[in-house]
Amino acid sequence: MHIDENELPKAYDAREKEAKWYEYWLRNGYFTPKIDKTKKPFVLIQPPPNITGNLHLGHALTSTLEDIMVRYHRMCGEPTLWLPGTDHAGIAAQVVVERELAKEGLTRQKIGRDAFMERMWSWVANCRANISNQHTRLGVSYDTTRLAFTLDEGPSLAVRTTFKNLYDKGLIYRGERITNWCPRCATALSDLEVDHEDEKGHLWYIRYPLADKPGEYVTVATTRPETILGDTAVAVNPADDRYKDLVGQMLILPLVGRKIPLIADEMVGIDFGTGAVKTTPAHDPNDFEVGHRHNLPIINIFDNHACINENGGKYKGLDRDEARKVILKDLEDQGYLVKVEDHVHAVGHCQRCRTTIEPQASSQWFVKIESLAKPAIEAVKTGEITIVPERFTKVYLNWMENIKDWCISRQLWWGHRIPVWNCHACGHMTCAVETPTECEACHSADIHQDDDVLDTWFSSGLWTHSTLGWPNKTEDLDYFYPTSVMETAYDILFFWVARMIMMGIANTGKVPFHHVYLHGLIRDEKGEKMSKTKGNVIDPLVVVDEFGADALRFSLILGITPGNDSKLGRNKIEAGRNFANKLYNAVRFVLRYANEDTPTVIDNAKLKLEDKWILSRLNSVAKEMNQMLTDFQFGEAIRTIHDFIWGELCDWYIEMAKVRLNHDDQSPMPVLLTVIERSLRMLHPFMPFITEELWQTIKTAGGFATDKSSIMISEYPQFDEAFHFEKEEAQMSTLTEIVRTLRNTRSEYEVDINKTIDAYVYCDELANVLSPYTATILTLAKATVRFEEKRTDDVPKQSIVEVLPNAEIIIPMASLFDLEAQLAKLNKELDEAVKEQARLESHLNDETFRSRAPQQVIEKEQARLDAALEKQTKLREHIKNLAA
RNA sequence: GGGCGGUUAGCUCAGUUGGUUAGAGCACCUGCUUUACACGCAGGGGGUCAUAGGUUCGAGUCCUAUACCGCCCACCA
């Protein structure tokens, strides 16, 4: 069937086509792998986006990288599973919905747990639909039939089972610890969920009177004067001579009046402040440990929202900032405040709501992590898991080797409830996978489930196997686990990747994946992190609407390297669109000559020079593409195929093909169709929509025969020795050099646009090969060329002479150029050739070089020397000729 | 306080075992409404590869310092 290219618009418009093809792929079930036990599958579990809002460019990058890998491996014939899902995102999602409530003047406490959960679920439904739609628009080829959510029954069962297993092994425990407390979220956080930032603060010096020596005192320095209410000691370093004699004495706590001891502990630095530290075990991690060592009372002075509680006496009810002001004023009024200094120190903030963290003693659940970390460290050390880029291996190992117990309980409502039931009768804790009806110790029915939920990363940590059915023995788990690649951003290496490795090994005895590919963050054109508050966020869908998904994908991938941040602006996206348009128009050209009568099968005997050249180049590119896609070099891969299509196929092959088509020559169509079809296949993983569209169009026009119904299930092109034509590649490069030189000469001498120039080309045995191309050269460079093997005559006077590696070009057109300029140019070239000769000679005469450099390098250098000498001879002759 | 990354053309970045004359996109200059494409074609200018040493026959690439920028980790009140 002939498709008239004139009926197609001149510019490619992605809009209506993308949705159509996505629907087609989905309908045909290409995204769902068929389990084939004779083949090793390629498996990639999608990092589940948080259900906190729209997807941003970071998600678009992740999706694109994953889609590239998945489409590539699928085209290589591997049963390929890309399993999608979303994450309930615990605290992050709860904060978002709480903000929505706040707009209505509500809080979760006001509406109650049940109503709040209802709000959460309706938010989730909206959000998940939205995320799915966004993914669809980006072209992700993930298996929609396996779409998972962390709160689904399967993953939830995995969570409870894991908890119980670890609990039974004694690897989960409940304990009173200092934890990072967010007073806004009213929950404990893990260390990772706290962002430290330097802040300008003050160091207040406060005197604590000695109980038994009126008028004498010890001065402490503190950044947190309000915590004085919870002080239960003052500590000094045992080696500090200033305080040696005072250790053991009692001090009177200002404002409070409580008697507290002066103790000695190694923790205290002698150099800082006064060398005496007020010790508040309930509100400082160090002090907590000191308190433990010295059996100090732990006095918690804050309620869940960091307001002073009943332990704060008359200050009760003040929040921590007000309390600080009032207490400082009281200290000053009563003469306890000695001085104030400016002081910069790191302050922790809640990762999700930015509220200043309050270190606070509370009872929480922890994972005893050391024994879980050990095999996870081994797996990376032995190379069973590799991390790309490699430098993150060190970061990973360093963190894992210094890992601390993981606080997993959150005082939130949104998440997996901790599967532990407390008995009101005997106090025993019953841990169970399924809801028990009675206490396992005393069989009382008066039991109540722990109110806390688990850290959202606890369920994420199981994601590689919980989505495949674990703890049940499923076919999926059996066939697809361990997975192949974990692709994600480097900023969640600890949060997620490390936890998956630990939990994966703990639950299944196998590593969860073999390769970790870490991508960088996307920044705006100025290199700043995109954020809603800065207003520099680019919405992927807005880009897709304007430029198409393929253009966006191109711009996201081009030039990126693993683990490095990249910048994205309009320019780059336009480059992507331009490339799509270029490809589209190349196909429009092809369609002009393609119909069911077009020959499409290549006859090797009839291949011309440029045919062999483009086939050979295509072949090399296929080799490179496979290598780079295997090595995770996506940025380089897309540039390679881009450069091939634009710079070789379009700029040279198609231009030469036009001449053939106009001259009733051997048809270029079989080769052209073959090359373009394979190019589309090579590009498909990167730009799936346009490649499918064009592939189907050419197929419909009878451009090639295939039993495949879609490009996405056709084979990824591989290197084929039969199409490797080294000699023709070299010959073609001489031809293109000749054309370039002629064009260059025209431009340089400002030859009239309508004037055809004459040229003689002397190129030994190549003359026979290239002389059929005079018509081509006439079209491409507007020059009439005569090819000869050897020059027999002298060079005609006043000619432009160009010396190429394998050819000598003489353009007798004295009337069209400036004689002086030409002479100067030749002299300059001669100069360079002489310098080159000198450099090479000294190099080649160097004994050390001769003895140590590999033979082929020496030969190469020698060849270059010969070339330089020959060039000189020719140039001298031409100069002489011209000057005559 | 440790650790890591970056510093290459005006801008954004490639450059994977050290080996021709360091590349691309965008921007810039010149000329082209050539029936695939002006989202284009042809030609061109532009880089002492941050600095200083070192290793090597040979360094953008390896080593050692230094400077600036950025990131991560860390309990010093």
Side-chain angles (χ1 to χ4, degrees):
Chain A
M1 167 186 159
H2 181 68
I3 296 175
D4 184 355
E5 96 281 2
N6 286 314
E7 284 173 14
L8 299 172
K10 285 190 170 190
Y12 178 67
D13 185 351
R15 269 166 277 193
E16 78 272 22
K17 289 163 187 157
E18 297 185 340
K20 177 183 83 182
W21 289 118
Y22 197 86
E23 201 271 326
Y24 177 78
W25 295 330
L26 207 54
R27 181 155 34 88
N28 283 290
Y30 299 142
F31 299 165
T32 305
K34 290 187 181 61
I35 291 179
D36 174 351
K37 297 208 167 153
T38 64
K39 288 181 180 168
K40 200 175 163 232
F42 180 82
V43 187
L44 199 149
I45 309 286
Q46 180 191 37
N50 286 346
I51 43 96
T52 47
N54 291 329
L55 298 184
H56 49 68
L57 280 176
H59 293 110
L61 175 63
T62 300
S63 299
T64 303
L65 285 165
E66 289 164 24
D67 199 39
I68 289 168
M69 288 188 236
V70 163
R71 285 181 186 269
Y72 169 65
H73 285 276
R74 190 184 289 122
M75 287 176 80
C76 286
E78 300 161 50
T80 299
L81 172 62
W82 183 14
L83 195 153
T86 41
D87 196 310
H88 70 283
I91 186 167
Q94 185 169 317
V95 167
V96 169
V97 173
E98 281 180 304
R99 275 190 198 135
E100 294 290 307
L101 283 178
K103 286 180 196 161
E104 301 164 32
L106 298 171
T107 65
R108 67 172 153 124
Q109 289 82 3
K110 266 189 205 165
I111 65 172
R113 193 161 188 156
D114 289 345
F116 182 75
M117 293 304 270
E118 232 170 80
R119 289 286 292 241
M120 286 299 314
W121 279 106
S122 92
W123 168 267
V124 167
N126 255 323
C127 206
R128 287 184 72 187
N130 197 23
I131 287 171
S132 277
N133 175 48
Q134 285 186 295
H135 275 134
T136 300
R137 298 291 307 278
L138 289 166
V140 300
S141 61
Y142 57 33
D143 184 359
T144 50
T145 65
R146 285 182 169 85
L147 191 70
F149 183 52
T150 45
L151 291 177
D152 283 348
E153 183 42 34
S156 296
L157 174 67
V159 164
R160 298 194 303 271
T161 306
T162 305
F163 191 100
K164 174 141 177 67
N165 288 350
L166 295 175
Y167 182 87
D168 289 347
K169 285 183 195 157
L171 295 178
I172 284 184
Y173 63 91
R174 191 173 168 83
E176 170 103 359
R177 293 293 154 89
I178 284 272
T179 46
N180 305 292
W181 187 269
C182 173
R184 195 221 65 89
C185 302
T187 179
L189 300 171
S190 70
D191 295 340
L192 280 178
E193 289 165 295
V194 179
D195 292 337
H196 293 275
E197 280 162 37
D198 275 349
E199 280 185 8
K200 280 183 192 163
H202 301 281
L203 200 53
W204 286 276
Y205 288 76
I206 302 165
R207 52 174 63 134
Y208 285 30
L210 282 157
D212 300 330
K213 295 185 179 168
E216 287 186 39
Y217 44 80
V218 169
T219 301
V220 302
T222 181
T223 56
R224 300 283 319 266
E226 65 278 12
T227 61
I228 197 169
L229 302 174
D231 283 3
T232 50
V234 168
V236 298
N237 191 291
D240 194 334
D241 292 336
R242 290 172 293 184
Y243 303 106
K244 228 168 196 168
D245 300 337
L246 296 175
V247 171
Q249 298 217 19
M250 297 305 276
L251 302 163
I252 296 169
L253 190 58
L255 307 187
V256 181
R258 183 162 63 232
K259 282 191 181 176
I260 58 173
L262 185 73
I263 58 172
D265 194 281
E266 297 285 350
M267 176 273 291
V268 182
I270 294 177
D271 298 334
F272 190 89
T274 61
V277 186
K278 65 191 264 318
T279 305
T280 323
H283 297 289
D284 182 279
N286 283 319
D287 294 0
F288 184 81
E289 284 178 31
V290 171
H292 245 266
R293 286 198 284 272
H294 298 267
N295 275 321
L296 299 175
I298 297 168
I299 300 176
N300 194 330
I301 61 163
F302 291 120
D303 66 13
N304 284 347
H305 297 285
C307 293
I308 304 291
N309 63 16
E310 59 283 356
N311 291 328
K314 69 169 188 168
Y315 302 102
K316 178 173 189 266
L318 296 176
D319 76 29
R320 52 189 171 173
D321 296 326
E322 293 162 357
R324 176 177 296 182
K325 281 182 202 147
V326 174
I327 285 171
L328 279 170
K329 178 153 196 318
D330 287 352
L331 286 169
E332 193 172 7
D333 289 349
Q334 296 176 33
Y336 292 112
L337 190 62
V338 180
K339 61 171 174 172
V340 188
E341 284 173 359
D342 287 339
H343 182 67
V344 175
H345 61 137
V347 176
H349 298 268
C350 172
Q351 187 195 32
R352 294 302 171 185
C353 74
R354 311 314 299 169
T355 303
T356 301
I357 291 300
E358 191 60 53
Q360 188 148 292
S362 63
S363 185
Q364 302 292 343
W365 290 94
F366 293 87
V367 174
K368 205 171 175 183
I369 209 85
E370 210 185 328
S371 64
L372 296 173
K374 233 176 167 184
I377 290 169
E378 277 311 298
V380 170
K381 274 191 174 166
T382 58
E384 200 181 353
I385 297 175
T386 62
I387 302 179
V388 180
E390 210 234 329
R391 65 173 187 274
F392 281 100
T393 304
K394 244 172 107 174
V395 179
Y396 169 86
L397 290 173
N398 181 56
W399 188 74
M400 289 294 273
E401 280 160 3
N402 297 294
I403 198 165
K404 285 180 193 149
D405 283 0
W406 173 17
C407 175
I408 50 169
S409 47
R410 299 287 179 275
Q411 289 64 49
L412 304 169
W413 290 350
W414 181 240
H416 298 277
R417 198 89 174 259
I418 287 179
V420 171
W421 285 258
N422 298 301
C423 177
H424 291 153
C426 72
H428 178 80
M429 292 190 290
T430 303
C431 177
V433 172
E434 300 305 335
T435 305
T437 51
E438 55 173 42
C439 170
E440 66 184 355
C442 73
H443 305 290
S444 161
D446 190 11
I447 55 174
H448 177 252
Q449 186 170 10
D450 195 304
D451 279 321
D452 292 353
V453 300
L454 286 162
D455 181 2
T456 189
W457 296 103
F458 190 91
S459 56
S460 316
L462 316 178
W463 203 234
T464 52
H465 51 285
S466 67
T467 49
L468 293 172
W470 189 92
N472 296 315
K473 290 191 187 351
T474 62
E475 192 181 25
D476 270 9
L477 187 67
D478 183 53
Y479 185 63
F480 293 117
Y481 189 90
T483 70
S484 312
V485 178
M486 175 46 59
E487 190 286 334
T488 190
Y490 65 75
D491 61 348
I492 52 174
L493 180 62
F494 305 144
F495 276 111
W496 194 40
V497 179
R499 266 102 180 239
M500 278 189 289
I501 298 176
M502 290 189 281
M503 301 296 241
I505 297 174
N507 280 344
T508 70
K510 292 183 208 157
V511 296
F513 33 71
H514 297 296
H515 302 285
V516 177
Y517 176 92
L518 298 170
H519 65 251
L521 310 176
I522 308 253
R523 298 171 180 280
D524 71 3
E525 278 166 299
K526 292 174 198 150
E528 292 189 41
K529 213 165 173 173
M530 291 190 187
S531 74
K532 280 180 195 158
T533 46
K534 275 186 206 156
N536 59 351
V537 176
I538 299 180
D539 180 346
L541 281 199
V542 170
V543 177
V544 170
D545 282 338
E546 189 179 351
F547 296 98
D550 291 320
L552 173 61
R553 292 168 61 120
F554 178 91
S555 68
L556 286 168
I557 301 304
L558 185 72
I560 64 163
T561 39
N564 288 332
D565 294 352
S566 55
K567 291 172 200 168
L568 187 72
R570 201 182 167 85
N571 280 347
K572 227 174 160 187
I573 302 166
E574 282 175 357
R577 177 206 54 190
N578 293 354
F579 179 48
N581 189 239
K582 182 75 181 177
L583 188 61
Y584 166 78
N585 274 293
V587 169
R588 228 159 55 87
F589 171 79
V590 166
L591 289 176
R592 190 172 189 160
Y593 301 96
N595 55 57
E596 51 274 273
D597 300 327
T598 317
T600 58
V601 178
I602 293 175
D603 179 351
N604 276 30
K606 289 184 180 166
L607 291 179
K608 299 185 62 171
L609 172 62
E610 68 269 34
D611 295 332
K612 287 191 172 180
W613 165 75
I614 196 73
L615 288 168
S616 190
R617 285 294 305 134
L618 176 86
N619 204 28
S620 302
V621 169
K623 187 177 185 176
E624 288 174 52
M625 293 300 286
N626 279 285
Q627 190 62 53
M628 290 189 285
L629 283 164
T630 314
D631 293 347
F632 305 104
Q633 295 184 65
F634 307 109
E636 279 295 279
I638 198 169
R639 186 167 55 206
T640 300
I641 184 66
H642 166 271
D643 288 355
F644 173 75
I645 289 172
W646 199 313
E648 299 188 287
L649 179 57
C650 291
D651 287 350
W652 288 99
Y653 190 80
I654 289 183
E655 290 308 315
M656 289 175 76
K658 284 180 187 170
V659 180
R660 284 163 72 173
L661 289 162
N662 285 336
H663 284 77
D664 202 22
D665 196 344
Q666 178 71 47
S667 173
M669 291 311 287
V671 172
L672 181 52
L673 287 163
T674 300
V675 174
I676 208 153
E677 193 268 337
R678 290 195 191 192
S679 299
L680 288 172
R681 275 193 264 152
M682 284 199 274
L683 182 62
H684 179 258
F686 304 89
M687 300 174 82
F689 292 114
I690 188 172
T691 48
E692 179 76 282
E693 166 74 19
L694 299 178
W695 190 86
Q696 297 282 2
T697 304
I698 301 174
K699 183 183 162 193
T700 306
F704 57 86
T706 178
D707 58 349
K708 304 289 190 201
S709 48
S710 163
I711 191 173
M712 73 168 283
I713 52 163
S714 62
E715 275 171 41
Y716 202 82
Q718 301 292 325
F719 179 78
D720 179 352
E721 190 56 48
F723 285 116
H724 185 58
F725 303 112
E726 214 172 320
K727 188 179 76 190
E728 283 79 3
E729 282 198 41
Q731 292 174 338
M732 179 70 183
S733 107
T734 298
L735 179 58
T736 57
E737 271 313 300
I738 290 168
V739 170
R740 263 194 261 265
T741 304
L742 292 168
R743 283 170 171 171
N744 176 306
T745 304
R746 291 190 63 102
S747 169
E748 203 173 329
Y749 292 97
E750 294 177 357
V751 175
D752 186 275
I753 187 107
N754 294 311
K755 185 167 176 63
T756 301
I757 62 173
D758 293 317
Y760 298 87
V761 177
Y762 304 98
C763 51
D764 300 326
E765 71 280 359
L766 263 184
N768 276 333
V769 179
L770 298 183
S771 47
Y773 289 92
T774 49
T776 305
I777 295 171
L778 182 61
T779 306
L780 298 184
K782 213 159 171 64
T784 307
V785 176
R786 273 187 60 188
F787 285 97
E788 302 283 352
E789 293 197 2
K790 296 259 184 276
R791 179 157 53 78
T792 46
D793 304 331
D794 286 346
V795 173
K797 286 180 182 171
Q798 299 197 319
S799 297
I800 295 169
V801 171
E802 298 288 346
V803 181
L804 304 180
N806 298 309
E808 184 183 19
I809 306 178
I810 291 168
I811 307 164
M813 48 184 301
S815 59
L816 293 171
F817 68 86
D818 178 334
L819 189 68
E820 299 274 314
Q822 175 65 3
L823 262 176
K825 188 179 153 244
L826 290 179
N827 274 312
K828 194 179 156 208
E829 274 189 54
L830 179 61
D831 239 39
E832 277 164 14
V834 170
K835 274 185 201 155
E836 170 99 341
Q837 177 202 348
R839 190 174 70 78
L840 290 163
E841 272 176 354
S842 80
H843 204 184
L844 283 161
N845 290 336
D846 186 331
E847 273 313 307
T848 339
F849 173 71
R850 293 207 84 93
S851 58
R852 300 211 189 169
Q855 192 56 33
Q856 53 172 353
V857 172
I858 296 175
E859 277 166 18
K860 245 184 185 173
E861 295 282 280
Q862 183 63 51
R864 289 175 60 201
L865 177 60
D866 295 344
L869 288 171
E870 200 188 323
K871 188 170 182 177
Q872 280 180 47
T873 313
K874 285 180 182 164
L875 284 168
R876 286 212 171 85
E877 189 188 349
H878 297 318
I879 288 167
K880 193 176 142 200
N881 205 321
L882 209 56

